[in-house]
Amino acid sequence: GSPVPTQLCGISTSYALAALGSTDPLAISAGYAGEIFACEASAYDFDPCDCEQVSPPIASDETWVQRSTVTDPVHPLGSKSPSYGAARISATEACIVGAFGRIQRFEVDATDEVIDVATPYFLRLSDGSFFNETTGCVIGDGWVIMFTDDGGVSWTVPDLSWTPNDSPDGKGIDLSPSGDYGVGVGTGGFIAHSDDVGASWTRVTGSPVSVDLNAVASVPNSSTVFAVGSDGNVIKSTDNGETWASVTTTGSEDLFGVSFATTSVGYVVGEDAKAYRTTDGGTTWSNAPASGSSAEAFRDVQTWGDGTEAIIVGDNGGVYQRTVSAQRFTKVDLGSVAVSEHLQDVEVLNSGTNVRICGDNGVVLFRDSGTWTRVRSQTTERLHRHSFQSATHGFGIGQGTVVVEYD
């Protein structure tokens, strides 16, 4: 008696079942596209010793009725993540979990029977940035940007000047340390600008490139922003991200990371262990070799102070540092916390005293006053980005709508 709608591949699939009531039997089924069904009727009597397949008659009062799934807010792409598990809380309540961080609470006959208590979006996240401990944004599939002002407890899609769709991807996002502006970038030269710390966004017209843009970084204490992308492209804005122009490219490699210490001194990194440094705001670039690398991709870079020092992270657990004395990147010995996973992001705080690194399989590495430790992240998803407001508080943004908080 299930009224499950027909899909192109047949009827949709249910992955989980939970029996709730005893005196007033109630069962909950959850599955594809977040669909939830409830059956309030007498339970079937199955013989546990009978190994033959049975097809009991379905009484008129033993039908499954679809319950409301998450509709507020509606995901801009119109998709809902599948639910994989259901568990009884009480005779009238259940917990339902699923893909992309879905957690739902079901209570029969409540005003809102189904309530999402985690990020309710079928969305793969690529990057995130927090202005402070409560206000932040993440970007992902479909050029979708999500906003929180309560430290990630709840998320909404802010006012966007464009219509998200399911083909492009958002790649990078950055909220300026001053809170004056935010910039998001993505595939096809996509650029978006915010002048209210991420509460609303406007797509920038006249992007100087049509290639994929992979990362964006604000220059501290300035209105300058840099973004990098495919085929060695580097673009620059000097007005908080409202207008952009191309600067001298560094080569033909895809670039994945960018960091500037000042408006003049900065680094970009990319595939084939390529790293470049500029001291004139991107007008010219010089090769910044890394000894000990094996041509793996460099995923991110962070510089600080006057730009003399910097740290690179990349594939196969590679960490490389440029110091005042060495004037070149050398591989860091991580000792007992060495990993083989690809590392995706690095943040440096307090003039190099604290380093925060994240990567595949939920890997998180800390360096505090010269000592490296591995920190449990509570996830095995790839963590694309960290956003730390201090050495003791930050967020990790990962694949599958994962946002984890360190506190």
Side-chain angles (χ1 to χ4, degrees):
S2 169
V4 185
T6 301
Q7 309 285 329
L8 290 177
C9 58
I11 61 173
S12 62
T13 304
S14 290
Y15 297 117
L17 180 70
L20 306 187
S22 54
T23 57
D24 296 312
L26 171 67
I28 296 296
S29 173
Y32 184 83
E35 293 162 346
I36 298 172
F37 297 89
C39 179
E40 300 174 73
S42 299
Y44 291 128
D45 183 15
F46 289 96
D47 181 358
C49 297
D50 187 355
C51 297
E52 295 181 358
Q53 182 176 355
V54 294
S55 299
I58 298 177
S60 60
D61 64 342
E62 294 175 334
T63 58
W64 289 86
V65 178
Q66 184 166 6
R67 295 310 220 246
S68 59
T69 55
V70 58
T71 57
D72 185 21
V74 176
H75 182 270
L77 306 186
S79 301
K80 301 182 181 74
S81 59
S83 298
Y84 293 134
R88 179 185 187 274
I89 298 176
S90 69
T92 59
E93 299 171 289
C95 177
I96 299 164
V97 297
F100 301 98
R102 161 155 287 185
I103 305 173
Q104 295 174 305
R105 185 182 180 89
F106 174 88
E107 184 176 0
V108 65
D109 296 331
T111 302
D112 295 310
E113 281 194 325
V114 181
I115 299 175
D116 276 83
V117 292
T119 310
Y121 299 101
F122 190 87
L123 183 67
R124 293 178 178 85
L125 301 179
S126 299
D127 197 8
S129 179
F130 277 74
F131 165 60
N132 54 31
E133 293 188 4
T134 59
T135 304
C137 289
V138 294
I139 192 170
D141 287 356
W143 294 340
V144 173
I145 293 174
M146 295 193 296
F147 172 80
T148 182
D149 59 4
D150 56 13
V153 175
S154 61
W155 295 85
T156 59
V157 176
D159 180 26
L160 306 177
S161 72
W162 66 94
T163 301
N165 61 80
D166 57 6
S167 58
D169 293 323
K171 295 285 192 177
I173 196 167
D174 191 37
L175 300 178
S176 69
S178 62
D180 294 334
Y181 63 92
V183 176
V185 298
T187 55
F190 170 81
I191 307 172
H193 171 264
S194 172
D195 58 9
D196 53 12
V197 201
S200 63
W201 292 81
T202 301
R203 184 174 180 180
V204 175
T205 59
S207 174
V209 296
S210 59
V211 301
D212 294 351
L213 295 172
N214 298 319
V216 59
S218 306
V219 179
N221 305 314
S222 79
S223 58
T224 302
V225 196
F226 286 86
V228 297
S230 301
D231 304 325
N233 277 276
V234 181
I235 61 174
K236 177 180 180 179
S237 171
T238 57
D239 55 8
N240 296 340
E242 294 189 42
T243 61
W244 294 77
S246 293
V247 299
T248 304
T249 56
T250 58
S252 59
E253 303 88 8
D254 291 347
L255 300 175
F256 304 126
V258 53
S259 178
F260 272 73
T262 69
T263 55
S264 299
V265 183
Y267 300 80
V268 297
V269 296
E271 62 183 359
D272 299 329
K274 294 297 184 181
Y276 300 91
R277 184 174 189 259
T278 182
T279 58
D280 54 17
T283 301
T284 60
W285 297 84
S286 59
N287 186 37
S291 60
S293 66
S294 56
E296 69 270 25
F298 287 163
R299 300 292 175 180
D300 195 31
V301 60
Q302 184 77 45
T303 184
W304 63 94
D306 62 2
T308 302
E309 298 180 89
I311 292 180
I312 294 172
V313 296
D315 289 356
N316 305 319
V319 179
Y320 304 84
Q321 181 164 357
R322 186 181 194 269
T323 64
V324 174
S325 58
Q327 294 289 302
R328 62 180 290 124
F329 287 98
T330 56
K331 193 166 188 177
V332 176
D333 182 4
L334 298 177
S336 62
V337 301
V339 297
S340 59
E341 287 88 353
H342 298 342
L343 303 177
Q344 303 290 336
D345 182 67
V346 56
E347 286 204 357
V348 177
L349 302 97
N350 302 319
S351 301
T353 301
N354 310 105
V355 178
R356 305 291 182 253
I357 296 172
C358 64
D360 291 4
N361 295 326
V363 167
V364 174
L365 302 177
F366 281 12
R367 189 182 75 184
D368 296 295
S369 301
T371 301
W372 288 95
T373 57
R374 182 167 178 175
V375 179
R376 182 176 297 178
S377 67
Q378 309 299 332
T379 182
T380 57
E381 296 283 0
R382 171 184 294 171
L383 292 175
H384 292 290
R385 289 291 182 268
H386 268 159
S387 184
F388 273 81
Q389 296 74 53
S390 69
T392 58
H393 186 272
F395 296 88
I397 294 88
Q399 190 166 308
T401 324
V402 169
V403 180
V404 294
E405 181 179 14
Y406 175 79
D407 191 359

PDB file of all heavy atoms in Angstrom, residues 287-309:
ATOM      1  N   ASN A 287      59.864  31.439  -9.276  1.00  0.00           N
ATOM      2  CA  ASN A 287      59.673  30.071  -8.814  1.00  0.00           C
ATOM      3  C   ASN A 287      60.125  29.944  -7.362  1.00  0.00           C
ATOM      4  O   ASN A 287      61.173  30.466  -6.976  1.00  0.00           O
ATOM      5  CB  ASN A 287      60.474  29.115  -9.707  1.00  0.00           C
ATOM      6  CG  ASN A 287      60.204  27.670  -9.370  1.00  0.00           C
ATOM      7  OD1 ASN A 287      59.088  27.306  -9.039  1.00  0.00           O
ATOM      8  ND2 ASN A 287      61.234  26.839  -9.468  1.00  0.00           N
ATOM      9  N   ALA A 288      59.314  29.244  -6.555  1.00  0.00           N
ATOM     10  CA  ALA A 288      59.665  29.017  -5.148  1.00  0.00           C
ATOM     11  C   ALA A 288      59.779  27.518  -4.925  1.00  0.00           C
ATOM     12  O   ALA A 288      58.820  26.865  -4.518  1.00  0.00           O
ATOM     13  CB  ALA A 288      58.606  29.622  -4.233  1.00  0.00           C
ATOM     14  N   PRO A 289      60.928  26.924  -5.228  1.00  0.00           N
ATOM     15  CA  PRO A 289      61.059  25.453  -5.189  1.00  0.00           C
ATOM     16  C   PRO A 289      60.918  24.897  -3.790  1.00  0.00           C
ATOM     17  O   PRO A 289      61.194  25.563  -2.793  1.00  0.00           O
ATOM     18  CB  PRO A 289      62.475  25.238  -5.735  1.00  0.00           C
ATOM     19  CG  PRO A 289      63.197  26.507  -5.432  1.00  0.00           C
ATOM     20  CD  PRO A 289      62.192  27.595  -5.572  1.00  0.00           C
ATOM     21  N   ALA A 290      60.476  23.632  -3.743  1.00  0.00           N
ATOM     22  CA  ALA A 290      60.321  22.928  -2.469  1.00  0.00           C
ATOM     23  C   ALA A 290      61.161  21.666  -2.508  1.00  0.00           C
ATOM     24  O   ALA A 290      60.892  20.751  -3.291  1.00  0.00           O
ATOM     25  CB  ALA A 290      58.859  22.583  -2.225  1.00  0.00           C
ATOM     26  N   SER A 291      62.192  21.601  -1.690  1.00  0.00           N
ATOM     27  CA  SER A 291      63.043  20.416  -1.650  1.00  0.00           C
ATOM     28  C   SER A 291      62.331  19.297  -0.909  1.00  0.00           C
ATOM     29  O   SER A 291      61.599  19.522   0.055  1.00  0.00           O
ATOM     30  CB  SER A 291      64.368  20.740  -0.949  1.00  0.00           C
ATOM     31  OG  SER A 291      64.134  21.176   0.375  1.00  0.00           O
ATOM     32  N   GLY A 292      62.532  18.072  -1.393  1.00  0.00           N
ATOM     33  CA  GLY A 292      61.907  16.919  -0.768  1.00  0.00           C
ATOM     34  C   GLY A 292      60.558  16.554  -1.340  1.00  0.00           C
ATOM     35  O   GLY A 292      59.952  15.558  -0.938  1.00  0.00           O
ATOM     36  N   SER A 293      60.063  17.322  -2.301  1.00  0.00           N
ATOM     37  CA  SER A 293      58.767  17.007  -2.906  1.00  0.00           C
ATOM     38  C   SER A 293      58.967  16.021  -4.050  1.00  0.00           C
ATOM     39  O   SER A 293      60.045  15.905  -4.618  1.00  0.00           O
ATOM     40  CB  SER A 293      58.093  18.269  -3.433  1.00  0.00           C
ATOM     41  OG  SER A 293      58.834  18.815  -4.503  1.00  0.00           O
ATOM     42  N   SER A 294      57.881  15.305  -4.380  1.00  0.00           N
ATOM     43  CA  SER A 294      57.947  14.318  -5.458  1.00  0.00           C
ATOM     44  C   SER A 294      56.912  14.641  -6.538  1.00  0.00           C
ATOM     45  O   SER A 294      56.204  13.756  -7.007  1.00  0.00           O
ATOM     46  CB  SER A 294      57.713  12.917  -4.902  1.00  0.00           C
ATOM     47  OG  SER A 294      56.480  12.863  -4.200  1.00  0.00           O
ATOM     48  N   ALA A 295      56.807  15.906  -6.858  1.00  0.00           N
ATOM     49  CA  ALA A 295      55.907  16.385  -7.910  1.00  0.00           C
ATOM     50  C   ALA A 295      54.437  16.162  -7.577  1.00  0.00           C
ATOM     51  O   ALA A 295      53.591  16.128  -8.462  1.00  0.00           O
ATOM     52  CB  ALA A 295      56.248  15.737  -9.254  1.00  0.00           C
ATOM     53  N   GLU A 296      54.112  16.003  -6.273  1.00  0.00           N
ATOM     54  CA  GLU A 296      52.706  15.888  -5.908  1.00  0.00           C
ATOM     55  C   GLU A 296      52.046  17.260  -5.986  1.00  0.00           C
ATOM     56  O   GLU A 296      52.723  18.295  -6.024  1.00  0.00           O
ATOM     57  CB  GLU A 296      52.564  15.327  -4.489  1.00  0.00           C
ATOM     58  CG  GLU A 296      53.015  16.252  -3.369  1.00  0.00           C
ATOM     59  CD  GLU A 296      54.463  16.091  -3.002  1.00  0.00           C
ATOM     60  OE1 GLU A 296      55.239  15.639  -3.868  1.00  0.00           O
ATOM     61  OE2 GLU A 296      54.826  16.424  -1.873  1.00  0.00           O
ATOM     62  N   ALA A 297      50.720  17.276  -5.989  1.00  0.00           N
ATOM     63  CA  ALA A 297      50.004  18.549  -6.040  1.00  0.00           C
ATOM     64  C   ALA A 297      50.119  19.270  -4.706  1.00  0.00           C
ATOM     65  O   ALA A 297      50.005  18.662  -3.640  1.00  0.00           O
ATOM     66  CB  ALA A 297      48.541  18.310  -6.389  1.00  0.00           C
ATOM     67  N   PHE A 298      50.356  20.580  -4.776  1.00  0.00           N
ATOM     68  CA  PHE A 298      50.286  21.439  -3.600  1.00  0.00           C
ATOM     69  C   PHE A 298      48.869  22.009  -3.537  1.00  0.00           C
ATOM     70  O   PHE A 298      48.378  22.586  -4.515  1.00  0.00           O
ATOM     71  CB  PHE A 298      51.310  22.563  -3.687  1.00  0.00           C
ATOM     72  CG  PHE A 298      52.734  22.121  -3.466  1.00  0.00           C
ATOM     73  CD1 PHE A 298      53.794  22.934  -3.854  1.00  0.00           C
ATOM     74  CD2 PHE A 298      53.026  20.912  -2.858  1.00  0.00           C
ATOM     75  CE1 PHE A 298      55.113  22.544  -3.643  1.00  0.00           C
ATOM     76  CE2 PHE A 298      54.342  20.506  -2.645  1.00  0.00           C
ATOM     77  CZ  PHE A 298      55.385  21.327  -3.037  1.00  0.00           C
ATOM     78  N   ARG A 299      48.198  21.851  -2.393  1.00  0.00           N
ATOM     79  CA  ARG A 299      46.785  22.215  -2.284  1.00  0.00           C
ATOM     80  C   ARG A 299      46.542  23.570  -1.643  1.00  0.00           C
ATOM     81  O   ARG A 299      45.531  24.209  -1.922  1.00  0.00           O
ATOM     82  CB  ARG A 299      46.048  21.137  -1.476  1.00  0.00           C
ATOM     83  CG  ARG A 299      46.105  19.741  -2.093  1.00  0.00           C
ATOM     84  CD  ARG A 299      45.325  19.673  -3.378  1.00  0.00           C
ATOM     85  NE  ARG A 299      45.478  18.366  -4.038  1.00  0.00           N
ATOM     86  CZ  ARG A 299      44.894  18.044  -5.175  1.00  0.00           C
ATOM     87  NH1 ARG A 299      44.120  18.920  -5.784  1.00  0.00           N
ATOM     88  NH2 ARG A 299      45.105  16.861  -5.744  1.00  0.00           N
ATOM     89  N   ASP A 300      47.434  24.006  -0.773  1.00  0.00           N
ATOM     90  CA  ASP A 300      47.204  25.290  -0.110  1.00  0.00           C
ATOM     91  C   ASP A 300      48.514  25.849   0.402  1.00  0.00           C
ATOM     92  O   ASP A 300      49.498  25.127   0.580  1.00  0.00           O
ATOM     93  CB  ASP A 300      46.215  25.125   1.049  1.00  0.00           C
ATOM     94  CG  ASP A 300      45.670  26.460   1.539  1.00  0.00           C
ATOM     95  OD1 ASP A 300      45.543  27.396   0.707  1.00  0.00           O
ATOM     96  OD2 ASP A 300      45.373  26.591   2.739  1.00  0.00           O
ATOM     97  N   VAL A 301      48.502  27.165   0.647  1.00  0.00           N
ATOM     98  CA  VAL A 301      49.669  27.860   1.165  1.00  0.00           C
ATOM     99  C   VAL A 301      49.188  28.947   2.113  1.00  0.00           C
ATOM    100  O   VAL A 301      48.100  29.504   1.939  1.00  0.00           O
ATOM    101  CB  VAL A 301      50.512  28.466   0.018  1.00  0.00           C
ATOM    102  CG1 VAL A 301      49.703  29.466  -0.791  1.00  0.00           C
ATOM    103  CG2 VAL A 301      51.797  29.090   0.554  1.00  0.00           C
ATOM    104  N   GLN A 302      49.996  29.228   3.131  1.00  0.00           N
ATOM    105  CA  GLN A 302      49.679  30.318   4.060  1.00  0.00           C
ATOM    106  C   GLN A 302      50.968  31.041   4.414  1.00  0.00           C
ATOM    107  O   GLN A 302      51.975  30.420   4.771  1.00  0.00           O
ATOM    108  CB  GLN A 302      49.035  29.774   5.328  1.00  0.00           C
ATOM    109  CG  GLN A 302      48.583  30.838   6.309  1.00  0.00           C
ATOM    110  CD  GLN A 302      47.303  31.518   5.888  1.00  0.00           C
ATOM    111  OE1 GLN A 302      46.359  30.867   5.480  1.00  0.00           O
ATOM    112  NE2 GLN A 302      47.252  32.835   5.973  1.00  0.00           N
ATOM    113  N   THR A 303      50.924  32.369   4.288  1.00  0.00           N
ATOM    114  CA  THR A 303      52.070  33.189   4.666  1.00  0.00           C
ATOM    115  C   THR A 303      51.632  34.179   5.734  1.00  0.00           C
ATOM    116  O   THR A 303      50.438  34.403   5.954  1.00  0.00           O
ATOM    117  CB  THR A 303      52.654  33.923   3.455  1.00  0.00           C
ATOM    118  OG1 THR A 303      53.834  34.639   3.851  1.00  0.00           O
ATOM    119  CG2 THR A 303      51.650  34.892   2.851  1.00  0.00           C
ATOM    120  N   TRP A 304      52.575  34.783   6.415  1.00  0.00           N
ATOM    121  CA  TRP A 304      52.254  35.709   7.492  1.00  0.00           C
ATOM    122  C   TRP A 304      53.395  36.707   7.658  1.00  0.00           C
ATOM    123  O   TRP A 304      54.431  36.621   6.990  1.00  0.00           O
ATOM    124  CB  TRP A 304      52.006  34.957   8.790  1.00  0.00           C
ATOM    125  CG  TRP A 304      53.185  34.189   9.336  1.00  0.00           C
ATOM    126  CD1 TRP A 304      54.091  34.614  10.258  1.00  0.00           C
ATOM    127  CD2 TRP A 304      53.580  32.850   8.977  1.00  0.00           C
ATOM    128  NE1 TRP A 304      55.021  33.636  10.510  1.00  0.00           N
ATOM    129  CE2 TRP A 304      54.726  32.547   9.747  1.00  0.00           C
ATOM    130  CE3 TRP A 304      53.079  31.894   8.097  1.00  0.00           C
ATOM    131  CZ2 TRP A 304      55.377  31.316   9.637  1.00  0.00           C
ATOM    132  CZ3 TRP A 304      53.718  30.672   7.999  1.00  0.00           C
ATOM    133  CH2 TRP A 304      54.849  30.392   8.769  1.00  0.00           C
ATOM    134  N   GLY A 305      53.200  37.676   8.559  1.00  0.00           N
ATOM    135  CA  GLY A 305      54.225  38.684   8.804  1.00  0.00           C
ATOM    136  C   GLY A 305      54.502  39.522   7.576  1.00  0.00           C
ATOM    137  O   GLY A 305      53.580  40.077   6.964  1.00  0.00           O
ATOM    138  N   ASP A 306      55.768  39.578   7.183  1.00  0.00           N
ATOM    139  CA  ASP A 306      56.136  40.349   5.988  1.00  0.00           C
ATOM    140  C   ASP A 306      56.177  39.494   4.735  1.00  0.00           C
ATOM    141  O   ASP A 306      56.579  39.966   3.672  1.00  0.00           O
ATOM    142  CB  ASP A 306      57.483  41.048   6.188  1.00  0.00           C
ATOM    143  CG  ASP A 306      58.631  40.057   6.407  1.00  0.00           C
ATOM    144  OD1 ASP A 306      58.384  38.822   6.371  1.00  0.00           O
ATOM    145  OD2 ASP A 306      59.772  40.508   6.606  1.00  0.00           O
ATOM    146  N   GLY A 307      55.777  38.212   4.847  1.00  0.00           N
ATOM    147  CA  GLY A 307      55.755  37.334   3.682  1.00  0.00           C
ATOM    148  C   GLY A 307      57.020  36.522   3.487  1.00  0.00           C
ATOM    149  O   GLY A 307      57.113  35.748   2.529  1.00  0.00           O
ATOM    150  N   THR A 308      57.988  36.675   4.375  1.00  0.00           N
ATOM    151  CA  THR A 308      59.213  35.888   4.255  1.00  0.00           C
ATOM    152  C   THR A 308      58.946  34.418   4.547  1.00  0.00           C
ATOM    153  O   THR A 308      59.485  33.520   3.885  1.00  0.00           O
ATOM    154  CB  THR A 308      60.288  36.412   5.219  1.00  0.00           C
ATOM    155  OG1 THR A 308      60.547  37.787   4.922  1.00  0.00           O
ATOM    156  CG2 THR A 308      61.577  35.618   5.082  1.00  0.00           C
ATOM    157  N   GLU A 309      58.117  34.158   5.545  1.00  0.00           N
ATOM    158  CA  GLU A 309      57.810  32.787   5.942  1.00  0.00           C
ATOM    159  C   GLU A 309      56.477  32.335   5.355  1.00  0.00           C
ATOM    160  O   GLU A 309      55.555  33.134   5.169  1.00  0.00           O
ATOM    161  CB  GLU A 309      57.772  32.679   7.465  1.00  0.00           C
ATOM    162  CG  GLU A 309      59.087  33.004   8.141  1.00  0.00           C
ATOM    163  CD  GLU A 309      58.999  32.872   9.645  1.00  0.00           C
ATOM    164  OE1 GLU A 309      59.256  31.751  10.158  1.00  0.00           O
ATOM    165  OE2 GLU A 309      58.671  33.866  10.306  1.00  0.00           O
TER     166      GLU A 309
END
